[in-house]
Amino acid sequence: MIEKNFEGTVIAVSLDKAHAFSKKQKSAIRLLAGLGVEGDAHMGALVQHRSRVRANPNQPNLRQVHLMHQELFEEVAQKGFTVTPADMGENITTSGIDLLALPTGAVLHIGDEAEVEITGLRNPCSQIEAWQPGLLKELVYKDEAGDLVRKAGVMGIVRKGGMVKPDDRITVTLPDEPWRKLERV
């Protein structure tokens, strides 16, 4: 499940104050403990994603920060899709860490101060299909065993705030075993 590479790099950082599909790349973002990305539409202690607010506005926000690995962009490019940082709404684009293989509760130490605890997998939505037809089936599908695979990044909560910028180093602290596999949040 877990690869031995526990170090990576921030490739890009993004935010958008509107609930838009894509975000805007920035030179830096500020993570706020218990809230998320300062100025982002998904910032808050309680859920901010519109469909989840409609279902129950009082649930905790386990989706304060969306992280996606650049390696996914390279993978889908081989199938004819063009995806660049911020296109699919992530706040932090990473390289060098297999985000999808991390267990629930893994902590990413980003830059000099910030810490993000991984809460689960992003559930890709149909907006992806409207943006680039055919891409959704590359991001969510059933594997040979019939299990649902989600590849559109991970979600997390901010444990410790701080500035995050491209080229920042990322290290990972794993939770105590037994590890819980990431599930949709």
Side-chain angles (χ1 to χ4, degrees), residues 121 123 140-143 145-150 181-182 184:
L121 296 168
N123 189 38
V140 61
Y141 56 87
K142 289 195 177 186
D143 65 13
D147 296 323
L148 196 59
V149 175
R150 291 179 176 90
K181 184 178 176 181
L182 292 177
R184 173 182 70 95

Side-chain angles (χ1 to χ4, degrees), residues 22-70:
S22 296
K23 296 194 182 291
K24 296 174 179 75
Q25 285 192 50
K26 302 292 181 182
S27 60
I29 57 174
R30 180 183 308 276
L31 301 186
L32 303 175
L35 295 173
V37 180
E38 183 177 51
D40 191 74
H42 294 98
M43 183 183 83
L46 298 177
V47 67
Q48 299 297 310
H49 192 274
R50 290 181 290 185
S51 66
R52 292 166 192 256
V53 168
R54 284 191 298 272
N56 177 1
N58 298 314
Q59 58 187 310
N61 187 3
L62 301 178
R63 300 167 55 103
Q64 294 174 356
V65 181
H66 177 200
L67 300 103
M68 191 174 287
H69 51 297
Q70 174 181 292

Side-chain angles (χ1 to χ4, degrees), residues 3 7 11 20-21 46 80 99 111 123 131 135 144 163 184:
E3 292 186 19
E7 191 170 310
I11 299 302
F21 177 71
L46 298 177
L99 297 173
N123 189 38
W131 178 59
L135 181 57
E144 293 153 1
M163 296 300 294
R184 173 182 70 95

Side-chain angles (χ1 to χ4, degrees), residues 2-150:
I2 305 291
E3 292 186 19
K4 295 189 185 275
N5 185 4
F6 297 117
E7 191 170 310
T9 305
V10 173
I11 299 302
V13 295
S14 312
L15 66 84
D16 198 319
K17 63 183 175 181
H19 283 276
F21 177 71
S22 296
K23 296 194 182 291
K24 296 174 179 75
Q25 285 192 50
K26 302 292 181 182
S27 60
I29 57 174
R30 180 183 308 276
L31 301 186
L32 303 175
L35 295 173
V37 180
E38 183 177 51
D40 191 74
H42 294 98
M43 183 183 83
L46 298 177
V47 67
Q48 299 297 310
H49 192 274
R50 290 181 290 185
S51 66
R52 292 166 192 256
V53 168
R54 284 191 298 272
N56 177 1
N58 298 314
Q59 58 187 310
N61 187 3
L62 301 178
R63 300 167 55 103
Q64 294 174 356
V65 181
H66 177 200
L67 300 103
M68 191 174 287
H69 51 297
Q70 174 181 292
E71 291 82 357
L72 176 64
F73 305 160
E74 297 162 4
E75 181 182 324
V76 298
Q78 293 176 10
K79 298 192 176 180
F81 299 99
T82 302
V83 181
T84 60
D87 282 349
M88 289 197 285
E90 77 275 10
N91 299 110
I92 301 174
T93 309
T94 68
S95 179
I97 296 174
D98 186 354
L99 297 173
L100 303 176
L102 295 173
T104 301
V107 176
L108 303 181
H109 305 271
I110 308 171
D112 294 331
E113 301 175 307
E115 293 181 2
V116 174
E117 180 180 336
I118 303 303
T119 56
L121 296 168
R122 175 191 182 195
N123 189 38
C125 69
S126 61
Q127 288 181 325
I128 292 171
E129 190 65 19
W131 178 59
Q132 288 193 47
L135 181 57
L136 184 59
K137 71 178 182 179
E138 301 300 326
L139 302 178
V140 61
Y141 56 87
K142 289 195 177 186
D143 65 13
E144 293 153 1
D147 296 323
L148 196 59
V149 175
R150 291 179 176 90

